[in-house]
Amino acid sequence: MHHGPVGLRLIRPRDARTLQRELLTNRAWLQPWEATIPGGASSFDMRVSIRRLLQQHRDGTGHPFVMEYDGEIAGQLNIWGVSRGSLCSATIGYWVSERFAGRGITTTAVAMATDAAFDQLGLHRMEICIRPENQASLRVVRKLGFRYEGLRRRFIHIDGDWRDHHAFALTREDVPGGVLNRWVQGLVPPDAGAVPGES
């Protein structure tokens, strides 16, 4: 999938070295937002992680992508927690390298991934959960018009502790013309993604 210089493609085993280098180079930038395992080690092996992600892809429970900018790996986006049956829902998580921040890469990639989830994967609902302090990610859901659905207290273990998250979602019916198309055409409602009580 491509839109302008932004690309989104399935992760490959040979991406491991580049992704691991980006994660290590961007430790200070990413650590406040990274999921951690309670009482677990913080080290990781990207090759093992990619193998697990691709197994989830084969199982249909996840869809792991790399985000590219002008053909260069800029970050990672995962559609995870895919539920079928009467729910047909999933969650998006992502990270982008600091040197690529501010170029609209994440916003474009989330829009493309959500459109693919609805149109190609047959999902009905896409969710994104964001820490209240993560202003950059909050801008992404506001730009794309994800609807605020509430606060999940101590929801995910992030940076060494259980953290509150705002939950946002879109359903297929919310965006009949597609998420990317609605954003590019300036059709996102101005108050979309607003968190009650916040300006």
Side-chain angles (χ1 to χ4, degrees):
M1 296 174 274
H2 284 87
H3 179 75
V6 179
L8 192 65
R9 63 164 174 81
L10 188 67
I11 201 168
R12 299 186 287 237
R14 69 173 178 256
D15 296 325
R17 181 174 295 172
T18 302
L19 287 168
Q20 186 141 343
R21 184 180 64 241
E22 290 296 325
L23 286 169
L24 291 172
T25 302
N26 286 268
R27 292 309 301 142
W29 168 257
L30 295 172
Q31 190 170 349
W33 321 114
E34 283 184 349
T36 48
I37 298 172
S42 60
S43 63
F44 60 89
D45 183 330
M46 185 52 68
R47 290 170 299 174
V48 172
S49 176
I50 289 175
R51 280 199 296 270
R52 288 179 183 148
L53 290 169
L54 289 172
Q55 184 60 54
Q56 292 171 9
H57 179 66
R58 288 188 290 273
D59 295 341
T61 60
H63 302 279
F65 300 96
V66 293
M67 298 186 287
E68 296 180 324
Y69 189 80
D70 282 337
E72 188 176 359
I73 291 178
Q76 195 175 346
L77 181 149
N78 294 320
I79 297 175
W80 60 275
V82 176
S83 296
R84 294 291 178 178
S86 58
L87 193 55
C88 286
S89 178
T91 300
I92 285 181
Y94 49 80
W95 62 265
V96 67
S97 295
E98 185 174 14
R99 64 195 175 99
F100 288 104
R103 301 187 196 187
I105 297 167
T106 303
T107 306
T108 304
V110 168
M112 289 192 295
T114 305
D115 284 341
F118 292 159
D119 300 334
Q120 298 168 31
L121 303 177
L123 297 178
H124 173 255
R125 181 179 179 278
M126 185 60 67
E127 180 175 272
I128 298 178
C129 294
I130 301 169
R131 287 186 60 187
E133 304 87 353
N134 192 340
Q135 291 301 314
S137 280
L138 290 172
R139 283 192 293 274
V140 169
V141 293
R142 288 173 183 145
K143 286 178 188 176
L144 296 179
F146 275 72
R147 174 182 55 258
Y148 177 71
E149 293 197 334
L151 180 68
R152 295 189 175 175
R153 296 199 178 276
R154 300 181 62 76
F155 179 55
I156 302 175
H157 202 270
I158 301 280
D159 191 25
D161 200 1
W162 295 103
R163 312 288 181 174
D164 294 350
H165 282 67
H166 287 311
F168 300 85
L170 279 176
T171 63
R172 183 190 296 250
E173 293 86 356
D174 293 325
V175 284
V179 182
L180 182 63
N181 186 56
R182 183 174 77 157
W183 174 51
V184 169
Q185 292 193 11
L187 301 176
V188 176
D191 61 345
V195 176
E198 294 185 6
S199 55

